Amino acid sequence: MKYPEFTVDCPEGVYEEVFEVTPSQADANGKMKISDLARKAEKITEDHLGVFHMSRGELRSENKIWVISWNSIEILRRPKIGETVILRIWACKPKVGMYPRKYMFYTKDGEPLAVTAALFTLMDSVTRTMAAPSEKMKLVPITVLPNEQPLPKLIMAFPEQDAHQTERTVSPEEIDKNGHLNNTYYLDWAEEIAHTVYGKDGSPHSVWIQYNKELLEGETAVLGHTMTEDTLYVHGGAGETESFSLIMKFA
């Protein structure tokens, strides 16, 4: 995996935020959970889009919403409670109706911690079909950093059969502002399966996930899953259409 080199000055076209890891974001070992790294990436995405007047609220008048379709996360080291983290985001060249974003987590001294890349789709909030690009997108600078990470692969191989099935009902606290299950909770669900079903004590060091169809409050999803050595495969949904598929690798 490639990691953009840290620079004291934020590169042109890159947006930066700084945060401190709180106890609520950490696991029993005092290290930041992978799902909370994803939540920080989600927040900075909204803030970055807001700079160009394309936040969730500002696009509502156009009946448009941003939907994440693919995501990948690679972790070198999870930050600890009280540690200061620099998070950077930049927009990449659109491809086939999708809008890539890349992210990098560093310590305040420039040590690389984690890297993530995502592919977003702009959707019509009424028809739930792909929306025409907003004119505001022309304002967003396209940035290429030396040695930056690749985008998520669109297709990944999964085992032919599931070793187990688990059911999970979407709770009210898992719902986001778009009215469906927040994407970061799939990471919590997968980690819980790894620990409770397969007795995995380690923490994940990489994740690939594809989002296909939203899950709504009160829906019960059937999750098929298999663990092979240090890799967990999970997929599932509440109906015939698969809602998501995920590959989580452990150290």
Side-chain angles (χ1 to χ4, degrees):
M1 174 60 67
K2 298 179 179 180
Y3 301 96
E5 185 177 348
F6 177 77
T7 56
V8 175
D9 295 322
C10 197
E12 185 177 355
V14 177
Y15 181 79
E16 177 183 280
E17 291 184 352
V18 180
F19 67 91
E20 185 176 293
V21 181
T22 65
S24 65
Q25 296 169 334
D27 60 16
N29 296 316
K31 296 181 180 180
M32 193 171 183
K33 293 175 289 188
I34 192 170
S35 57
D36 280 289
L37 286 169
R39 288 174 189 121
K40 281 296 182 181
E42 180 181 65
K43 179 185 180 299
I44 199 173
T45 303
E46 179 77 6
D47 294 344
H48 185 227
L49 288 168
V51 172
F52 304 100
H53 307 290
M54 287 192 298
S55 65
R56 183 182 288 108
E58 291 167 307
L59 283 178
R60 190 172 294 126
S61 61
E62 301 180 35
N63 291 327
K64 294 175 180 178
I65 56 173
W66 287 107
V67 176
I68 188 170
S69 300
W70 279 270
N71 194 18
S72 61
I73 304 171
E74 298 280 344
I75 297 174
L76 283 174
R77 177 176 73 80
R78 290 185 296 147
K80 301 172 290 188
I81 294 174
E83 192 166 9
T84 299
V85 178
I86 298 171
L87 171 57
R88 291 175 175 174
I89 178 176
W90 60 101
C92 310
K93 184 179 179 180
K95 53 182 296 181
V96 198
M98 291 184 289
Y99 303 90
R101 296 289 186 276
K102 295 184 178 180
Y103 311 75
M104 191 71 206
F105 295 81
Y106 304 93
T107 67
K108 61 182 179 181
D109 297 321
E111 175 196 351
L113 295 169
V115 64
T116 180
L119 291 167
F120 290 87
T121 307
L122 191 63
M123 304 290 289
D124 186 300
S125 60
V126 178
T127 64
R128 293 308 211 201
T129 57
M130 191 176 295
S134 170
E135 283 295 312
K136 300 170 184 175
M137 289 180 181
K138 296 177 181 178
L139 302 174
V140 183
I142 303 303
T143 304
V144 178
L145 296 184
N147 210 40
E148 68 180 25
Q149 67 274 30
L151 292 171
K153 293 182 179 180
L154 301 188
I155 299 175
M156 297 286 277
F158 275 69
E160 292 185 3
Q161 293 184 329
D162 299 321
H164 302 280
Q165 283 191 343
T166 301
E167 289 190 352
R168 183 76 181 239
T169 300
V170 181
S171 63
E173 59 268 22
E174 294 173 326
I175 299 299
D176 65 15
K177 294 178 182 178
N178 286 332
H180 56 70
L181 175 68
N182 183 279
N183 298 313
T184 63
Y185 283 100
Y186 290 111
L187 300 171
D188 289 317
W189 289 13
E191 273 208 271
E192 184 176 320
I193 288 172
H195 296 321
T196 60
V197 178
Y198 299 101
K200 196 66 185 172
D201 294 328
S203 58
H205 66 78
S206 72
V207 174
W208 173 93
I209 184 166
Q210 179 182 6
Y211 307 97
N212 299 313
K213 184 179 183 295
E214 66 266 23
L215 287 169
L216 304 178
E217 180 180 343
E219 285 192 306
T220 298
V222 178
L223 311 177
H225 47 87
T226 301
M227 191 96 185
T228 59
E229 295 183 355
D230 291 328
T231 303
L232 175 68
Y233 300 86
V234 186
H235 66 95
E240 293 184 0
T241 302
E242 192 168 85
S243 293
F244 78 103
S245 51
L246 174 151
I247 300 174
M248 181 175 280
K249 295 186 178 182
F250 288 79

